[in-house]
Amino acid sequence: SHTSHVKGHGYKVTRQEAAELVGEELWSMMGMVVEILFAPKRQSVTCICCSGVMFSLATRLFHLGMRTAHLTDLGQAIAHALRSSLAEPCAECGLHEWKDEQSKAWDWLWGQWTATFKRVVLPLEAQSEKLVRATWETVKATRSPAEIADSMYYNLVTEAPHTAILFQRPKKMQEYSFTQALELIVQFAEQPDVFFKQLQPLIIRHVKYGVKAEFLQPFGAALMKMIQGFLGEQWDETTQNAWKGHWARCAGCVGRYLNIGTNMITVALVNADLSKLQEALECAPRGQRIGWLTSVDVNGTIMSPLYWAIRDGKFNIGRYMLQDLLAIRADREAYYYGRVELWKTHPDLINVLCHEAPDLIEDLFDGLLWHSQTVNNGRVRVNYYIQELFSDPLEVEDVWATPLAIITTHGTPALFKHPVLIKVLDVKWAWMKCGFLVMQSLYALQLALFTVLHLRLEHDRSPYLQGLRVFTLVFSSLMLLFFINVIVQQMMHKQCIRSSFCGLHFRLPQILNSSWAKIRVLSLVLMIITSSVPLAKNPQHRYEEGERRGPADPGLKWYPHCKAWTGLLLWIQMAQVLIISTRLAALLHSVRLLLSHVTRNLVLMGIVLFAFASYLASIEETEFESFEEASLNLLRVVLQLDVPPLDSTGPWGFFMLVVFIIIIHIGMINIIIAQLALAYEDLSVDKGAHAKMNRAFVSLEIESLLPRSLRRKLYQNQAFDRPLEFDNGDKGPAGGVQCLEPAAVRAHPKYVPDRILRSPGRASALDPWPSEED
């Protein structure tokens, strides 16, 4: 036959094509064998034989037609090809590359791969995998998942009672887990690629549960008992051998993965044992201790022990890891500080902490701070390691994705009491304040133009003022176009936030997350409208004494309201300039929050007012005949403004008015007063932090409008690559700024004098640090 069917591939190929496929697989096999051979963690024969890559490769070669009987001839053919290729003298050195040593090495390597191939292919040649699949399908057809799970659990706990502690999830979940695990075991010989792909995340989960390689033996015994019990008379010697051989091969691979993924760090995390973690770290070479805490290799998957602890709710371990990583240690040769490695392996650290472990943010900030214990000329040297919090624009292009932005939008105001975050804000604000004042100057000019043109000299038609009106229109239009451009750019770069209104969820550009920005855009639109609408019939119109001044066109009755709202919004937006002063910013924030409390209560008061207005209008009481009239008169009663006469009010109407007044005046107004008092008391505690948080938001807003080149220049001006001194001539790690603070800083709760842990004596990166007891 000139064609052959390639099993598992679903198509027919010629013998030449089949030979090429086999050749490609063999070439791939040679590369994999050499790669595994020289991998540091895979240099044992066991690892080569148990490698998932080799299992998959051997299975593919079997489906391409290779059998164990071909191995001897194939090995000799490959050796001959290698010998022929290397028989000629080397073009560079003139030496022969194939000697007896090479021949012996090849024989050894081919023997190891042959053992792997036979281990995989012999069961396939005996069609054991088909028998395993057929019997498993019989079990699934005759038994429910609940029966299978119950049998596995009972048999496993009987074989190894200490494994019962692993089963803490609901029974329904265990049914699903057992069924999926057994299905994966059956797939081991059929589809090794799928098996090893799904095995890796499965092993990671089970390592977290505390599963050990030693548990595989009782699990296999429980599996054999379950299959035997459900098959009954179908369980003969052939079936038994097929299942036992299948499980032995599968368990060998799983056990290797469990052993590699289990080390002292993972054991401490699984058991939530802080003392075990401390013991493990005491064994770590000082040059590797940071690496042990920032990443752990679980079967090729790099995991973060810190995130592992946080996401499993083991916050005490997470806190210890942060403190250990950010401890500054020193010996005679070097300083060891894990800040760079921490941020490098955890670039989203601030986002994770804000959402999952906010209590650990302060521990992170504590590790970015160093104080000297000596005072020179009334000053104390302080190092702030804020490079990553400041953010390099080349690494984080989106301003709203920087750590400071995440803290501002998702953090709490209390964080802005910490010296590290205050320093980050002060450094940024020193640069952004100029941009903020420029923006405020433009808004002040806009307000001045509005006041002159629409309040003071509204009806003056001199050419000078007409030109000024044109300038105002053009100026407002340019500012609006600037905002529109920013909005479009942010939408194009997906710099949006999730927002909602009346139950509807949508995404807004980041700049519109600020109430001030919304007010500015709306005021600009209204300013353009008020500047473009004619005010009189003709330019020569003169107003007589007592004549109403306003638009001559009756169709423009909305114009005065538009002008009024424009002026109101322009004056409101000018209040933002108060953030220049921390105290005024705190007052502004307090007023804004208090107004939000009042607004919520006014909504409820409005509902009560409309309810009573509906009642009074329904019984047609005097002065309350219609719903509109009743609502207006009740409002007058509440505000005590031009109260309507109530002499002719009927008994039921008078009774409802009394109830209404009691509810509003005695009840709800007193509730508002009490709520405002409590709210102000809470605000007074953290009003400074609220003010700084608001300033941070404005600083980020200004920074987001700057080009990246300018932001990069501001970043470079901080000279974060310059080592910071701990003392004269004692240069420590770089990555921050140094300040000389007043000696009063020693009274601050965060003051820790010279927190460097110094180790005298021999200095070697291979030696562990002395224990805390030492």
Side-chain angles (χ1 to χ4, degrees), residues 22 26 29 61 66-67 69-81 106 110 113 117:
V22 173
L26 290 174
M29 176 268 293
L61 288 172
M66 184 175 291
R67 299 295 183 262
H70 302 150
L71 293 177
T72 302
D73 294 339
L74 179 61
Q76 293 175 357
I78 296 178
H80 178 74
W106 168 253
W110 183 252
W113 188 85
F117 186 84

mmCIF file with all atom_site columns, all heavy atoms in Angstrom, residues 22 26 29 61 66-67 69-81 106 110 113 117:
data_model
loop_
_atom_site.group_PDB
_atom_site.id
_atom_site.type_symbol
_atom_site.label_atom_id
_atom_site.label_alt_id
_atom_site.label_comp_id
_atom_site.label_asym_id
_atom_site.label_entity_id
_atom_site.label_seq_id
_atom_site.pdbx_PDB_ins_code
_atom_site.Cartn_x
_atom_site.Cartn_y
_atom_site.Cartn_z
_atom_site.occupancy
_atom_site.B_iso_or_equiv
_atom_site.pdbx_formal_charge
_atom_site.auth_seq_id
_atom_site.auth_comp_id
_atom_site.auth_asym_id
_atom_site.auth_atom_id
_atom_site.pdbx_PDB_model_num
ATOM 1   N N   . VAL A 1 22  ? 7.367  11.042 11.188 1.00 0.00 ? 22  VAL A N   1
ATOM 2   C CA  . VAL A 1 22  ? 8.150  10.334 12.202 1.00 0.00 ? 22  VAL A CA  1
ATOM 3   C C   . VAL A 1 22  ? 9.490  11.019 12.402 1.00 0.00 ? 22  VAL A C   1
ATOM 4   O O   . VAL A 1 22  ? 9.978  11.185 13.533 1.00 0.00 ? 22  VAL A O   1
ATOM 5   C CB  . VAL A 1 22  ? 8.336  8.855  11.809 1.00 0.00 ? 22  VAL A CB  1
ATOM 6   C CG1 . VAL A 1 22  ? 9.286  8.159  12.774 1.00 0.00 ? 22  VAL A CG1 1
ATOM 7   C CG2 . VAL A 1 22  ? 6.994  8.137  11.791 1.00 0.00 ? 22  VAL A CG2 1
ATOM 8   N N   . LEU A 1 26  ? 10.958 12.532 15.839 1.00 0.00 ? 26  LEU A N   1
ATOM 9   C CA  . LEU A 1 26  ? 12.234 12.081 16.391 1.00 0.00 ? 26  LEU A CA  1
ATOM 10  C C   . LEU A 1 26  ? 13.189 13.258 16.605 1.00 0.00 ? 26  LEU A C   1
ATOM 11  O O   . LEU A 1 26  ? 13.922 13.308 17.599 1.00 0.00 ? 26  LEU A O   1
ATOM 12  C CB  . LEU A 1 26  ? 12.870 11.035 15.470 1.00 0.00 ? 26  LEU A CB  1
ATOM 13  C CG  . LEU A 1 26  ? 12.172 9.667  15.421 1.00 0.00 ? 26  LEU A CG  1
ATOM 14  C CD1 . LEU A 1 26  ? 12.820 8.783  14.366 1.00 0.00 ? 26  LEU A CD1 1
ATOM 15  C CD2 . LEU A 1 26  ? 12.233 8.996  16.789 1.00 0.00 ? 26  LEU A CD2 1
ATOM 16  N N   . MET A 1 29  ? 12.039 14.903 19.568 1.00 0.00 ? 29  MET A N   1
ATOM 17  C CA  . MET A 1 29  ? 12.385 14.072 20.719 1.00 0.00 ? 29  MET A CA  1
ATOM 18  C C   . MET A 1 29  ? 13.830 14.298 21.128 1.00 0.00 ? 29  MET A C   1
ATOM 19  O O   . MET A 1 29  ? 14.138 14.430 22.324 1.00 0.00 ? 29  MET A O   1
ATOM 20  C CB  . MET A 1 29  ? 12.141 12.607 20.384 1.00 0.00 ? 29  MET A CB  1
ATOM 21  C CG  . MET A 1 29  ? 12.554 11.630 21.486 1.00 0.00 ? 29  MET A CG  1
ATOM 22  S SD  . MET A 1 29  ? 14.262 11.020 21.300 1.00 0.00 ? 29  MET A SD  1
ATOM 23  C CE  . MET A 1 29  ? 14.124 10.058 19.798 1.00 0.00 ? 29  MET A CE  1
ATOM 24  N N   . LEU A 1 61  ? 4.321  9.040  18.794 1.00 0.00 ? 61  LEU A N   1
ATOM 25  C CA  . LEU A 1 61  ? 5.083  8.104  17.957 1.00 0.00 ? 61  LEU A CA  1
ATOM 26  C C   . LEU A 1 61  ? 4.363  6.770  17.824 1.00 0.00 ? 61  LEU A C   1
ATOM 27  O O   . LEU A 1 61  ? 4.396  6.143  16.765 1.00 0.00 ? 61  LEU A O   1
ATOM 28  C CB  . LEU A 1 61  ? 6.482  7.900  18.553 1.00 0.00 ? 61  LEU A CB  1
ATOM 29  C CG  . LEU A 1 61  ? 7.447  9.078  18.411 1.00 0.00 ? 61  LEU A CG  1
ATOM 30  C CD1 . LEU A 1 61  ? 8.724  8.821  19.198 1.00 0.00 ? 61  LEU A CD1 1
ATOM 31  C CD2 . LEU A 1 61  ? 7.776  9.335  16.937 1.00 0.00 ? 61  LEU A CD2 1
ATOM 32  N N   . MET A 1 66  ? 5.067  3.568  15.395 1.00 0.00 ? 66  MET A N   1
ATOM 33  C CA  . MET A 1 66  ? 6.266  3.025  16.018 1.00 0.00 ? 66  MET A CA  1
ATOM 34  C C   . MET A 1 66  ? 5.883  2.066  17.138 1.00 0.00 ? 66  MET A C   1
ATOM 35  O O   . MET A 1 66  ? 4.947  2.322  17.906 1.00 0.00 ? 66  MET A O   1
ATOM 36  C CB  . MET A 1 66  ? 7.147  4.149  16.575 1.00 0.00 ? 66  MET A CB  1
ATOM 37  C CG  . MET A 1 66  ? 8.460  3.647  17.159 1.00 0.00 ? 66  MET A CG  1
ATOM 38  S SD  . MET A 1 66  ? 9.530  4.985  17.681 1.00 0.00 ? 66  MET A SD  1
ATOM 39  C CE  . MET A 1 66  ? 9.938  5.659  16.084 1.00 0.00 ? 66  MET A CE  1
ATOM 40  N N   . ARG A 1 67  ? 6.637  0.955  17.237 1.00 0.00 ? 67  ARG A N   1
ATOM 41  C CA  . ARG A 1 67  ? 6.395  -0.055 18.262 1.00 0.00 ? 67  ARG A CA  1
ATOM 42  C C   . ARG A 1 67  ? 7.709  -0.340 18.996 1.00 0.00 ? 67  ARG A C   1
ATOM 43  O O   . ARG A 1 67  ? 8.792  0.064  18.551 1.00 0.00 ? 67  ARG A O   1
ATOM 44  C CB  . ARG A 1 67  ? 5.848  -1.356 17.634 1.00 0.00 ? 67  ARG A CB  1
ATOM 45  C CG  . ARG A 1 67  ? 4.521  -1.175 16.906 1.00 0.00 ? 67  ARG A CG  1
ATOM 46  C CD  . ARG A 1 67  ? 3.409  -0.781 17.870 1.00 0.00 ? 67  ARG A CD  1
ATOM 47  N NE  . ARG A 1 67  ? 2.103  -0.673 17.197 1.00 0.00 ? 67  ARG A NE  1
ATOM 48  C CZ  . ARG A 1 67  ? 1.581  0.479  16.779 1.00 0.00 ? 67  ARG A CZ  1
ATOM 49  N NH1 . ARG A 1 67  ? 2.277  1.603  16.942 1.00 0.00 ? 67  ARG A NH1 1
ATOM 50  N NH2 . ARG A 1 67  ? 0.405  0.503  16.200 1.00 0.00 ? 67  ARG A NH2 1
ATOM 51  N N   . ALA A 1 69  ? 9.280  -3.001 19.185 1.00 0.00 ? 69  ALA A N   1
ATOM 52  C CA  . ALA A 1 69  ? 10.175 -3.857 18.402 1.00 0.00 ? 69  ALA A CA  1
ATOM 53  C C   . ALA A 1 69  ? 11.092 -3.044 17.491 1.00 0.00 ? 69  ALA A C   1
ATOM 54  O O   . ALA A 1 69  ? 12.110 -3.559 17.008 1.00 0.00 ? 69  ALA A O   1
ATOM 55  C CB  . ALA A 1 69  ? 9.349  -4.835 17.563 1.00 0.00 ? 69  ALA A CB  1
ATOM 56  N N   . HIS A 1 70  ? 10.743 -1.763 17.245 1.00 0.00 ? 70  HIS A N   1
ATOM 57  C CA  . HIS A 1 70  ? 11.535 -0.931 16.341 1.00 0.00 ? 70  HIS A CA  1
ATOM 58  C C   . HIS A 1 70  ? 12.672 -0.206 17.059 1.00 0.00 ? 70  HIS A C   1
ATOM 59  O O   . HIS A 1 70  ? 13.505 0.427  16.405 1.00 0.00 ? 70  HIS A O   1
ATOM 60  C CB  . HIS A 1 70  ? 10.644 0.120  15.669 1.00 0.00 ? 70  HIS A CB  1
ATOM 61  C CG  . HIS A 1 70  ? 9.503  -0.464 14.900 1.00 0.00 ? 70  HIS A CG  1
ATOM 62  N ND1 . HIS A 1 70  ? 8.290  0.188  14.728 1.00 0.00 ? 70  HIS A ND1 1
ATOM 63  C CD2 . HIS A 1 70  ? 9.373  -1.664 14.268 1.00 0.00 ? 70  HIS A CD2 1
ATOM 64  C CE1 . HIS A 1 70  ? 7.473  -0.563 14.019 1.00 0.00 ? 70  HIS A CE1 1
ATOM 65  N NE2 . HIS A 1 70  ? 8.107  -1.700 13.723 1.00 0.00 ? 70  HIS A NE2 1
ATOM 66  N N   . LEU A 1 71  ? 12.682 -0.257 18.389 1.00 0.00 ? 71  LEU A N   1
ATOM 67  C CA  . LEU A 1 71  ? 13.581 0.625  19.132 1.00 0.00 ? 71  LEU A CA  1
ATOM 68  C C   . LEU A 1 71  ? 15.053 0.312  18.894 1.00 0.00 ? 71  LEU A C   1
ATOM 69  O O   . LEU A 1 71  ? 15.875 1.223  18.757 1.00 0.00 ? 71  LEU A O   1
ATOM 70  C CB  . LEU A 1 71  ? 13.263 0.540  20.626 1.00 0.00 ? 71  LEU A CB  1
ATOM 71  C CG  . LEU A 1 71  ? 11.888 1.105  21.033 1.00 0.00 ? 71  LEU A CG  1
ATOM 72  C CD1 . LEU A 1 71  ? 11.645 0.894  22.514 1.00 0.00 ? 71  LEU A CD1 1
ATOM 73  C CD2 . LEU A 1 71  ? 11.775 2.574  20.673 1.00 0.00 ? 71  LEU A CD2 1
ATOM 74  N N   . THR A 1 72  ? 15.398 -0.971 18.862 1.00 0.00 ? 72  THR A N   1
ATOM 75  C CA  . THR A 1 72  ? 16.817 -1.329 18.681 1.00 0.00 ? 72  THR A CA  1
ATOM 76  C C   . THR A 1 72  ? 17.334 -0.834 17.341 1.00 0.00 ? 72  THR A C   1
ATOM 77  O O   . THR A 1 72  ? 18.389 -0.187 17.260 1.00 0.00 ? 72  THR A O   1
ATOM 78  C CB  . THR A 1 72  ? 16.996 -2.848 18.805 1.00 0.00 ? 72  THR A CB  1
ATOM 79  O OG1 . THR A 1 72  ? 16.527 -3.277 20.089 1.00 0.00 ? 72  THR A OG1 1
ATOM 80  C CG2 . THR A 1 72  ? 18.463 -3.220 18.653 1.00 0.00 ? 72  THR A CG2 1
ATOM 81  N N   . ASP A 1 73  ? 16.595 -1.149 16.265 1.00 0.00 ? 73  ASP A N   1
ATOM 82  C CA  . ASP A 1 73  ? 17.016 -0.715 14.933 1.00 0.00 ? 73  ASP A CA  1
ATOM 83  C C   . ASP A 1 73  ? 17.031 0.812  14.834 1.00 0.00 ? 73  ASP A C   1
ATOM 84  O O   . ASP A 1 73  ? 17.936 1.398  14.214 1.00 0.00 ? 73  ASP A O   1
ATOM 85  C CB  . ASP A 1 73  ? 16.091 -1.291 13.868 1.00 0.00 ? 73  ASP A CB  1
ATOM 86  C CG  . ASP A 1 73  ? 16.211 -2.801 13.786 1.00 0.00 ? 73  ASP A CG  1
ATOM 87  O OD1 . ASP A 1 73  ? 17.252 -3.332 14.232 1.00 0.00 ? 73  ASP A OD1 1
ATOM 88  O OD2 . ASP A 1 73  ? 15.265 -3.447 13.294 1.00 0.00 ? 73  ASP A OD2 1
ATOM 89  N N   . LEU A 1 74  ? 16.038 1.463  15.457 1.00 0.00 ? 74  LEU A N   1
ATOM 90  C CA  . LEU A 1 74  ? 15.970 2.927  15.388 1.00 0.00 ? 74  LEU A CA  1
ATOM 91  C C   . LEU A 1 74  ? 17.160 3.548  16.111 1.00 0.00 ? 74  LEU A C   1
ATOM 92  O O   . LEU A 1 74  ? 17.776 4.504  15.612 1.00 0.00 ? 74  LEU A O   1
ATOM 93  C CB  . LEU A 1 74  ? 14.654 3.410  16.008 1.00 0.00 ? 74  LEU A CB  1
ATOM 94  C CG  . LEU A 1 74  ? 14.448 4.930  16.032 1.00 0.00 ? 74  LEU A CG  1
ATOM 95  C CD1 . LEU A 1 74  ? 14.443 5.492  14.615 1.00 0.00 ? 74  LEU A CD1 1
ATOM 96  C CD2 . LEU A 1 74  ? 13.163 5.283  16.752 1.00 0.00 ? 74  LEU A CD2 1
ATOM 97  N N   . GLY A 1 75  ? 17.504 3.006  17.282 1.00 0.00 ? 75  GLY A N   1
ATOM 98  C CA  . GLY A 1 75  ? 18.650 3.540  18.019 1.00 0.00 ? 75  GLY A CA  1
ATOM 99  C C   . GLY A 1 75  ? 19.935 3.401  17.245 1.00 0.00 ? 75  GLY A C   1
ATOM 100 O O   . GLY A 1 75  ? 20.773 4.316  17.215 1.00 0.00 ? 75  GLY A O   1
ATOM 101 N N   . GLN A 1 76  ? 20.125 2.241  16.602 1.00 0.00 ? 76  GLN A N   1
ATOM 102 C CA  . GLN A 1 76  ? 21.335 2.025  15.808 1.00 0.00 ? 76  GLN A CA  1
ATOM 103 C C   . GLN A 1 76  ? 21.372 2.968  14.602 1.00 0.00 ? 76  GLN A C   1
ATOM 104 O O   . GLN A 1 76  ? 22.435 3.490  14.252 1.00 0.00 ? 76  GLN A O   1
ATOM 105 C CB  . GLN A 1 76  ? 21.401 0.576  15.346 1.00 0.00 ? 76  GLN A CB  1
ATOM 106 C CG  . GLN A 1 76  ? 21.601 -0.426 16.485 1.00 0.00 ? 76  GLN A CG  1
ATOM 107 C CD  . GLN A 1 76  ? 21.546 -1.865 16.017 1.00 0.00 ? 76  GLN A CD  1
ATOM 108 O OE1 . GLN A 1 76  ? 21.302 -2.136 14.830 1.00 0.00 ? 76  GLN A OE1 1
ATOM 109 N NE2 . GLN A 1 76  ? 21.788 -2.805 16.940 1.00 0.00 ? 76  GLN A NE2 1
ATOM 110 N N   . ALA A 1 77  ? 20.209 3.202  14.009 1.00 0.00 ? 77  ALA A N   1
ATOM 111 C CA  . ALA A 1 77  ? 20.162 4.091  12.836 1.00 0.00 ? 77  ALA A CA  1
ATOM 112 C C   . ALA A 1 77  ? 20.516 5.527  13.236 1.00 0.00 ? 77  ALA A C   1
ATOM 113 O O   . ALA A 1 77  ? 21.265 6.221  12.529 1.00 0.00 ? 77  ALA A O   1
ATOM 114 C CB  . ALA A 1 77  ? 18.769 4.041  12.212 1.00 0.00 ? 77  ALA A CB  1
ATOM 115 N N   . ILE A 1 78  ? 19.977 5.990  14.355 1.00 0.00 ? 78  ILE A N   1
ATOM 116 C CA  . ILE A 1 78  ? 20.278 7.356  14.800 1.00 0.00 ? 78  ILE A CA  1
ATOM 117 C C   . ILE A 1 78  ? 21.755 7.472  15.180 1.00 0.00 ? 78  ILE A C   1
ATOM 118 O O   . ILE A 1 78  ? 22.428 8.448  14.849 1.00 0.00 ? 78  ILE A O   1
ATOM 119 C CB  . ILE A 1 78  ? 19.376 7.751  15.981 1.00 0.00 ? 78  ILE A CB  1
ATOM 120 C CG1 . ILE A 1 78  ? 17.902 7.779  15.536 1.00 0.00 ? 78  ILE A CG1 1
ATOM 121 C CG2 . ILE A 1 78  ? 19.782 9.094  16.551 1.00 0.00 ? 78  ILE A CG2 1
ATOM 122 C CD1 . ILE A 1 78  ? 16.937 8.102  16.647 1.00 0.00 ? 78  ILE A CD1 1
ATOM 123 N N   . ALA A 1 79  ? 22.266 6.448  15.876 1.00 0.00 ? 79  ALA A N   1
ATOM 124 C CA  . ALA A 1 79  ? 23.686 6.478  16.241 1.00 0.00 ? 79  ALA A CA  1
ATOM 125 C C   . ALA A 1 79  ? 24.572 6.513  15.006 1.00 0.00 ? 79  ALA A C   1
ATOM 126 O O   . ALA A 1 79  ? 25.586 7.231  14.957 1.00 0.00 ? 79  ALA A O   1
ATOM 127 C CB  . ALA A 1 79  ? 24.025 5.265  17.102 1.00 0.00 ? 79  ALA A CB  1
ATOM 128 N N   . HIS A 1 80  ? 24.193 5.733  13.982 1.00 0.00 ? 80  HIS A N   1
ATOM 129 C CA  . HIS A 1 80  ? 24.959 5.734  12.730 1.00 0.00 ? 80  HIS A CA  1
ATOM 130 C C   . HIS A 1 80  ? 24.917 7.105  12.071 1.00 0.00 ? 80  HIS A C   1
ATOM 131 O O   . HIS A 1 80  ? 25.937 7.595  11.548 1.00 0.00 ? 80  HIS A O   1
ATOM 132 C CB  . HIS A 1 80  ? 24.410 4.664  11.783 1.00 0.00 ? 80  HIS A CB  1
ATOM 133 C CG  . HIS A 1 80  ? 25.103 4.638  10.458 1.00 0.00 ? 80  HIS A CG  1
ATOM 134 N ND1 . HIS A 1 80  ? 26.375 4.123  10.297 1.00 0.00 ? 80  HIS A ND1 1
ATOM 135 C CD2 . HIS A 1 80  ? 24.687 5.083  9.233  1.00 0.00 ? 80  HIS A CD2 1
ATOM 136 C CE1 . HIS A 1 80  ? 26.724 4.247  9.030  1.00 0.00 ? 80  HIS A CE1 1
ATOM 137 N NE2 . HIS A 1 80  ? 25.720 4.823  8.356  1.00 0.00 ? 80  HIS A NE2 1
ATOM 138 N N   . ALA A 1 81  ? 23.733 7.719  12.100 1.00 0.00 ? 81  ALA A N   1
ATOM 139 C CA  . ALA A 1 81  ? 23.616 9.052  11.497 1.00 0.00 ? 81  ALA A CA  1
ATOM 140 C C   . ALA A 1 81  ? 24.485 10.061 12.248 1.00 0.00 ? 81  ALA A C   1
ATOM 141 O O   . ALA A 1 81  ? 25.158 10.908 11.623 1.00 0.00 ? 81  ALA A O   1
ATOM 142 C CB  . ALA A 1 81  ? 22.159 9.495  11.514 1.00 0.00 ? 81  ALA A CB  1
ATOM 143 N N   . TRP A 1 106 ? 25.794 8.036  24.168 1.00 0.00 ? 106 TRP A N   1
ATOM 144 C CA  . TRP A 1 106 ? 24.584 7.876  23.364 1.00 0.00 ? 106 TRP A CA  1
ATOM 145 C C   . TRP A 1 106 ? 23.840 6.610  23.752 1.00 0.00 ? 106 TRP A C   1
ATOM 146 O O   . TRP A 1 106 ? 22.607 6.621  23.852 1.00 0.00 ? 106 TRP A O   1
ATOM 147 C CB  . TRP A 1 106 ? 24.933 7.856  21.872 1.00 0.00 ? 106 TRP A CB  1
ATOM 148 C CG  . TRP A 1 106 ? 23.770 7.396  21.041 1.00 0.00 ? 106 TRP A CG  1
ATOM 149 C CD1 . TRP A 1 106 ? 23.644 6.210  20.413 1.00 0.00 ? 106 TRP A CD1 1
ATOM 150 C CD2 . TRP A 1 106 ? 22.559 8.111  20.823 1.00 0.00 ? 106 TRP A CD2 1
ATOM 151 N NE1 . TRP A 1 106 ? 22.440 6.117  19.790 1.00 0.00 ? 106 TRP A NE1 1
ATOM 152 C CE2 . TRP A 1 106 ? 21.730 7.285  20.028 1.00 0.00 ? 106 TRP A CE2 1
ATOM 153 C CE3 . TRP A 1 106 ? 22.082 9.352  21.195 1.00 0.00 ? 106 TRP A CE3 1
ATOM 154 C CZ2 . TRP A 1 106 ? 20.468 7.662  19.605 1.00 0.00 ? 106 TRP A CZ2 1
ATOM 155 C CZ3 . TRP A 1 106 ? 20.816 9.749  20.787 1.00 0.00 ? 106 TRP A CZ3 1
ATOM 156 C CH2 . TRP A 1 106 ? 20.025 8.909  19.997 1.00 0.00 ? 106 TRP A CH2 1
ATOM 157 N N   . TRP A 1 110 ? 20.044 6.693  24.977 1.00 0.00 ? 110 TRP A N   1
ATOM 158 C CA  . TRP A 1 110 ? 19.015 5.977  24.229 1.00 0.00 ? 110 TRP A CA  1
ATOM 159 C C   . TRP A 1 110 ? 18.366 4.910  25.109 1.00 0.00 ? 110 TRP A C   1
ATOM 160 O O   . TRP A 1 110 ? 17.154 4.666  25.003 1.00 0.00 ? 110 TRP A O   1
ATOM 161 C CB  . TRP A 1 110 ? 19.612 5.320  22.983 1.00 0.00 ? 110 TRP A CB  1
ATOM 162 C CG  . TRP A 1 110 ? 18.573 4.635  22.137 1.00 0.00 ? 110 TRP A CG  1
ATOM 163 C CD1 . TRP A 1 110 ? 18.387 3.296  21.986 1.00 0.00 ? 110 TRP A CD1 1
ATOM 164 C CD2 . TRP A 1 110 ? 17.575 5.271  21.353 1.00 0.00 ? 110 TRP A CD2 1
ATOM 165 N NE1 . TRP A 1 110 ? 17.336 3.040  21.169 1.00 0.00 ? 110 TRP A NE1 1
ATOM 166 C CE2 . TRP A 1 110 ? 16.789 4.242  20.749 1.00 0.00 ? 110 TRP A CE2 1
ATOM 167 C CE3 . TRP A 1 110 ? 17.240 6.591  21.095 1.00 0.00 ? 110 TRP A CE3 1
ATOM 168 C CZ2 . TRP A 1 110 ? 15.725 4.512  19.917 1.00 0.00 ? 110 TRP A CZ2 1
ATOM 169 C CZ3 . TRP A 1 110 ? 16.175 6.857  20.261 1.00 0.00 ? 110 TRP A CZ3 1
ATOM 170 C CH2 . TRP A 1 110 ? 15.421 5.841  19.682 1.00 0.00 ? 110 TRP A CH2 1
ATOM 171 N N   . TRP A 1 113 ? 15.704 6.720  27.190 1.00 0.00 ? 113 TRP A N   1
ATOM 172 C CA  . TRP A 1 113 ? 14.506 7.054  26.426 1.00 0.00 ? 113 TRP A CA  1
ATOM 173 C C   . TRP A 1 113 ? 13.748 5.796  26.042 1.00 0.00 ? 113 TRP A C   1
ATOM 174 O O   . TRP A 1 113 ? 12.512 5.792  26.019 1.00 0.00 ? 113 TRP A O   1
ATOM 175 C CB  . TRP A 1 113 ? 14.887 7.834  25.166 1.00 0.00 ? 113 TRP A CB  1
ATOM 176 C CG  . TRP A 1 113 ? 13.655 8.358  24.481 1.00 0.00 ? 113 TRP A CG  1
ATOM 177 C CD1 . TRP A 1 113 ? 12.996 9.502  24.747 1.00 0.00 ? 113 TRP A CD1 1
ATOM 178 C CD2 . TRP A 1 113 ? 12.932 7.710  23.434 1.00 0.00 ? 113 TRP A CD2 1
ATOM 179 N NE1 . TRP A 1 113 ? 11.899 9.640  23.936 1.00 0.00 ? 113 TRP A NE1 1
ATOM 180 C CE2 . TRP A 1 113 ? 11.828 8.536  23.110 1.00 0.00 ? 113 TRP A CE2 1
ATOM 181 C CE3 . TRP A 1 113 ? 13.095 6.516  22.727 1.00 0.00 ? 113 TRP A CE3 1
ATOM 182 C CZ2 . TRP A 1 113 ? 10.916 8.221  22.127 1.00 0.00 ? 113 TRP A CZ2 1
ATOM 183 C CZ3 . TRP A 1 113 ? 12.174 6.203  21.743 1.00 0.00 ? 113 TRP A CZ3 1
ATOM 184 C CH2 . TRP A 1 113 ? 11.100 7.038  21.451 1.00 0.00 ? 113 TRP A CH2 1
ATOM 185 N N   . PHE A 1 117 ? 9.846  5.012  26.594 1.00 0.00 ? 117 PHE A N   1
ATOM 186 C CA  . PHE A 1 117 ? 8.980  4.643  25.480 1.00 0.00 ? 117 PHE A CA  1
ATOM 187 C C   . PHE A 1 117 ? 8.260  3.322  25.771 1.00 0.00 ? 117 PHE A C   1
ATOM 188 O O   . PHE A 1 117 ? 7.049  3.206  25.534 1.00 0.00 ? 117 PHE A O   1
ATOM 189 C CB  . PHE A 1 117 ? 9.810  4.532  24.203 1.00 0.00 ? 117 PHE A CB  1
ATOM 190 C CG  . PHE A 1 117 ? 8.988  4.301  22.972 1.00 0.00 ? 117 PHE A CG  1
ATOM 191 C CD1 . PHE A 1 117 ? 8.400  5.357  22.291 1.00 0.00 ? 117 PHE A CD1 1
ATOM 192 C CD2 . PHE A 1 117 ? 8.776  3.010  22.489 1.00 0.00 ? 117 PHE A CD2 1
ATOM 193 C CE1 . PHE A 1 117 ? 7.636  5.139  21.161 1.00 0.00 ? 117 PHE A CE1 1
ATOM 194 C CE2 . PHE A 1 117 ? 8.022  2.779  21.362 1.00 0.00 ? 117 PHE A CE2 1
ATOM 195 C CZ  . PHE A 1 117 ? 7.444  3.853  20.684 1.00 0.00 ? 117 PHE A CZ  1
#
